[in-house]
């Protein structure tokens, strides 16, 4: 039952937002009493925390699986973007922004986990890209990995990128294109052009 509550809550939170979905909404959607939810989660904050960690773990696992496919590094970045957008429902409700605003402690803990995960993943991608000559060998891998993470986080800041003017898909596509054009070798740019033609 606990897992079912997490799954249903995740779906509702990602589609409608952490703030607007109440414990009553979740109970009604599941056809159970609110009391049943409270048997597993002390309050809404605990439930939000459990769903946030659930989404993080699912996405982390999916990214690991994509990385194990050993695709070329440029394709890998696009594959991960597609997977993340699908799992975050294209960020319709801006989950990260809402977490930051209404549940800052959960957001801070999640951001730390995301940073550790992403730093490792992006660093490996950059190293492989340099080895396979898709990326320039003069790039500073540690700087770019950190810069990439920081940029990704700022895309979700609605004060900088209001959702009514910038869709998440458009932001992600532009950001990845910007990132890759900054680090690609001539061979990498050729691959990127080929990929963009097929997208």
């Amino acid at each position: 039952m606990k897992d079912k509550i997490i799954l249903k809550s995740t779906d509702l939170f990602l589609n409608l937002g952490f703030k607007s979905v109440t414990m009553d909404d979740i109970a009604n959607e599941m056809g159970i009493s609110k009391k049943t939810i409270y048997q597993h989660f002390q309050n809404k904050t605990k439930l939000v925390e459990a769903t946030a960690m659930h989404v993080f773990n699912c996405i982390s696992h999916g990214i690991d699986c994509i990385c194990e496919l050993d695709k070329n590094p440029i394709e890998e970045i696009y594959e991960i973007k597609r997977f993340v957008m699908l799992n975050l429902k294209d960020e319709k409700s801006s989950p990260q922004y809402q977490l930051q605003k209404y549940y800052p402690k959960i957001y801070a803990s999640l951001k730390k986990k995301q940073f550790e995960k992403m730093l490792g993943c992006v660093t490996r991608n950059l190293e492989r890209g340099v080895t396979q000559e898709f990326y320039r060998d003069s790039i500073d891998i540690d700087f770019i990995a950190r810069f990439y993470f920081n940029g990704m986080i700022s895309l979700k800041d609605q004060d900088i990128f209001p959702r009514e003017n910038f869709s998440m898909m458009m932001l992600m596509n532009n950001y990845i294109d910007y990132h890759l054009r900054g680090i690609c070798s001539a061979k990498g740019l050729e691959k990127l052009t080929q990929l963009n033609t097929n997208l």
Side-chain angles (χ1 to χ4, degrees):
M1 180 50 85
K2 186 174 185 176
D3 290 344
K4 282 181 182 169
I5 294 169
I6 289 175
L7 287 174
K8 177 50 78 179
S9 305
T10 300
D11 190 45
L12 290 170
F13 287 147
L14 289 182
N15 278 308
L16 305 168
F18 288 106
K19 179 84 170 97
S20 54
V21 175
T22 64
M23 296 297 247
D24 281 316
D25 294 333
I26 297 163
N28 291 339
E29 275 287 321
M30 293 186 71
I32 58 174
S33 71
K34 209 159 54 162
K35 194 175 155 204
T36 308
I37 300 176
Y38 284 119
Q39 282 169 354
H40 298 281
F41 301 96
Q42 199 181 337
N43 50 42
K44 186 180 169 185
T45 303
K46 291 286 181 206
L47 180 56
V48 167
E49 186 174 24
T51 56
M53 289 311 150
H54 167 73
V55 172
F56 171 77
N57 291 331
C58 286
I59 289 175
S60 293
H61 175 69
I63 289 173
D64 287 343
C65 292
I66 292 168
C67 292
E68 278 166 24
L69 297 173
D70 228 17
K71 288 174 174 273
N72 91 51
I74 297 174
E75 285 177 351
E76 183 179 271
I77 284 183
Y78 280 103
E79 199 59 45
I80 288 172
K81 180 212 72 171
R82 265 195 299 274
F83 172 77
V84 171
M85 292 300 284
L86 191 69
N87 275 272
L88 290 178
K89 321 272 190 209
D90 287 349
E91 306 223 5
K92 282 199 281 280
S93 69
S94 314
Q96 203 126 356
Y97 181 72
Q98 286 207 356
L99 265 189
Q100 187 176 6
K101 201 169 172 188
Y102 303 111
Y103 299 94
K105 276 187 178 159
I106 298 171
Y107 172 79
S109 146
L110 188 66
K111 187 179 168 188
K112 188 169 179 287
K113 283 177 181 291
Q114 284 175 330
F115 175 66
E116 286 160 5
K117 179 76 196 168
M118 206 161 155
L119 193 67
C121 176
V122 175
T123 300
R124 284 190 297 278
N125 179 281
L126 292 168
E127 286 167 351
R128 282 179 48 241
V130 169
T131 306
Q132 295 172 23
E133 298 180 351
F134 285 107
Y135 304 154
R136 298 192 321 274
D137 60 6
S138 58
I139 63 173
D140 182 329
I141 288 176
D142 189 45
F143 167 77
I144 288 170
R146 290 165 188 272
F147 188 75
Y148 185 73
F149 174 79
N150 200 45
M152 273 293 181
I153 291 291
S154 72
L155 293 185
K156 295 168 185 186
D157 185 334
Q158 292 198 29
D159 296 327
I160 301 173
F161 297 108
R163 215 35 100 244
E164 56 273 15
N165 302 336
F166 302 93
S167 77
M168 204 59 213
M169 189 57 87
M170 174 263 214
L171 286 172
M172 291 284 268
N173 285 338
N174 283 343
Y175 183 62
I176 287 174
D177 193 61
Y178 171 80
H179 165 70
L180 288 169
R181 287 183 189 281
I183 61 174
C184 274
S185 61
K187 175 184 168 183
L189 285 172
E190 209 175 297
K191 184 73 191 168
L192 183 60
T193 306
Q194 190 190 330
L195 269 175
N196 282 333
T197 311
N198 298 330
L199 277 179

